[in-house]
């Protein structure tokens, strides 16, 4: 029996672990009843070690909640149980997610023939490392939070999906929208006319900061400069002092938690009243707590609707709180929905009498049209979510509060 990271699971998670010794050899052949496995394995790849551990737990629990509910209802199509296999792509050396570890994890998922798909990664830097390996194996990845657009951009097919077909699916949209829509919000809702931009040099941070910058300039915002922060450095006061002398209307940070907490505290010391903006890298379970008062009034976006505050989601939120003793953030729900996509995908394979293979799972996932709490999930030819909604939050009294949808034009 596998060992799982994180909390101890209910018996329903580990029921029915017997797996047929071989899958049906050809996707084109209609499967007979004996071809259907009693269990499939879904990998979950998240950074449980380092700066993103709290957010990883939030996402993990959303995925596990869906798996538990499906298993308790008798499994996919009432006959196939789901076994979760968790892997940590955070390392002590990196202090956060580690693309090299993500690549190692992906190779291990690929080597296990019972793994039909993977929920994750959380971070786009990991996604860039995982995608080509998964593509070579035809293994579907479905991320509830990774937003760098390059991974699914057809201009980068040879780099991130060398086998051609989309294998990197998302239940969120990308920074091609998250960055620019936040620039729209800065110009139209906050009245920002000048800004300084920082990023943390990561795939996500650089990408969203550059996307924000391009649209900020298009909206007439004067970009006074753009500098990079080393996440492992402890002192950013030199660049912050330089920024203060330029007297911008706001500061935009593209990046994740490791640099964000230090930046927030030091920016609060140097420019306490300056509006600070960021992406979903700072929409974090722990950012307001770790940064303390310095996090107050920070703005952040997420690449999805703010579903958990909607009336129709309150039963789901209550179930999550009862199960895990904590309140979810929106990416817990997008992780839950990622598992629902896989449930729906395999269910359609079963109904069509098709073998449960990695190729078939990928092909049927491409045809998803699934109503969920966050809206109807369907994918374009590259695996990107069709719906492009960016939600904006602001830290008030130590908690992120929803303030609205970012303008799309």
């Amino acid at each position: 029996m596998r060992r799982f990271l994180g909390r101890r699971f209910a018996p329903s998670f580990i029921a029915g672990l017997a797996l047929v010794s071989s899958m049906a050899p050809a996707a084109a052949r209609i499967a007979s009843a004996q071809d259907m496995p009693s269990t499939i394995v879904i990998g979950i790849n998240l950074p449980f070690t380092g700066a993103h551990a709290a957010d990883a737990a939030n996402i993990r629990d959303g995925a596990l909640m869906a798996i538990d509910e499906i298993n308790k209802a008798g499994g996919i199509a009432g006959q196939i149980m789901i076994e979760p296999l968790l892997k940590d792509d955070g390392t002590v050396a990196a202090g956060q997610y580690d693309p090299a570890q993500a690549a190692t994890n992906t190779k291990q998922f690929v080597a296990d023939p019972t793994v039909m798909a993977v929920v994750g990664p959380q971070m786009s830097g990991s996604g860039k490392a995982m995608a080509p390996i998964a593509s070579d194996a035809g293994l579907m990845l479905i991320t509830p939070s990774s937003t760098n657009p390059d991974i699914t951009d057809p201009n980068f097919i040879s780099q991130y999906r060398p086998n051609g077909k989309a294998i990197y699916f998302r239940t969120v949209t990308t920074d091609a929208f998250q960055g620019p829509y936040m620039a729209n919000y800065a110009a139209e809702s906050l009245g920002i006319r000048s800004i300084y931009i920082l990023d943390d040099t990561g795939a996500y941070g650089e990408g969203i900061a550059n996307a924000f910058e391009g649209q900020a300039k298009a909206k007439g915002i004067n970009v006074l400069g753009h500098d990079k922060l080393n996440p492992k450095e402890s002192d950013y006061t030199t660049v912050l002092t330089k920024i203060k002398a330029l007297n911008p209307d706001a500061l935009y940070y593209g990046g994740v938690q490791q640099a964000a907490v230090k930046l927030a505290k030091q920016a609060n010391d140097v420019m306490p009243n300056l509006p600070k903006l960021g992406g979903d890298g700072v929409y974090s379970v722990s950012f307001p707590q770790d940064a303390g008062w310095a996090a107050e009034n920070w703005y952040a976006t997420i690449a999805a609707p703010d579903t958990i505050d909607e009336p129709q989601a309150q039963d789901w939120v209550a179930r999550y709180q009862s199960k895990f003793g904590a309140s979810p953030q929106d990416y817990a729900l997008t992780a839950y929905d990622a598992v629902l996509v896989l449930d729906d995908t395999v269910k359609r394979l079963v109904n069509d009498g098709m073998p449960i293979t990695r190729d078939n799972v990928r092909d049927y996932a491409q045809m998803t049209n699934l109503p969920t709490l966050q809206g109807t999930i369907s994918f374009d030819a590259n695996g990107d979510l069709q719906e492009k909604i960016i939600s904006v939050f602001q830290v008030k009294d130590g908690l992120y509060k929803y303030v609205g949808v970012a303008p799309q034009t």
Side-chain angles (χ1 to χ4, degrees), residues 332-386:
L333 182 63
T334 58
Y336 180 92
D337 286 348
V339 175
L340 295 191
V341 167
L342 297 176
D343 171 59
D344 173 72
T345 296
V346 176
K347 189 181 300 179
R348 285 184 283 115
L349 284 169
V350 171
N351 290 342
D352 287 352
M354 297 295 289
I356 312 303
T357 66
R358 288 174 178 173
D359 284 340
N360 283 351
V361 168
R362 193 233 70 90
D363 289 348
Y364 269 55
Q366 187 79 71
M367 299 182 288
T368 297
N369 188 38
L370 179 66
T372 71
L373 286 173
Q374 73 178 82
T376 298
I377 293 178
S378 59
F379 306 109
D380 66 16
N382 301 306
D384 284 333
L385 190 66
Q386 296 278 15

Side-chain angles (χ1 to χ4, degrees), residues 35-55:
D35 289 318
M36 290 297 170
S38 60
T39 301
I40 63 168
V41 176
I42 292 177
I44 299 176
N45 184 89
L46 300 166
F48 300 110
T49 298
H52 313 297
D55 296 312

Side-chain angles (χ1 to χ4, degrees), residues 158-223:
S158 62
Q159 187 171 352
Y160 297 120
R161 45 177 158 133
N163 275 357
K165 287 185 176 181
I167 52 87
Y168 201 86
F169 293 81
R170 310 184 204 245
T171 53
V172 291
T173 190
T174 76
D175 296 334
F177 304 94
Q178 185 176 193
Y181 290 5
M182 185 53 147
N184 294 341
Y185 185 85
E188 298 175 23
S189 300
L190 300 180
I192 301 300
R193 292 294 170 258
S194 64
I195 200 161
Y196 205 98
I197 298 173
L198 297 170
D199 73 62
D200 69 352
T201 75
Y204 160 77
E206 285 187 339
I208 194 170
N210 291 339
F212 175 91
E213 180 174 355
Q215 181 65 5
K217 290 176 178 177
K219 297 294 290 186
I221 297 175
N222 183 16
V223 176

Side-chain angles (χ1 to χ4, degrees), residues 271-330:
M271 298 170 286
N273 298 317
L274 187 73
K276 289 104 177 167
L277 291 65
D280 51 357
V282 294
Y283 174 76
S284 164
V285 172
S286 57
F287 174 70
Q289 287 72 44
D290 291 347
W293 182 252
E296 283 296 303
N297 298 316
W298 267 73
Y299 291 89
T301 49
I302 64 168
D306 175 42
T307 306
I308 62 172
D309 289 320
E310 293 296 320
Q312 66 268 23
Q314 294 318 294
D315 176 68
W316 183 89
V317 171
R319 297 200 314 272
Y320 183 101
Q321 290 172 329
S322 175
K323 187 173 186 63
F324 301 112
S327 296
Q329 286 195 320
D330 280 285

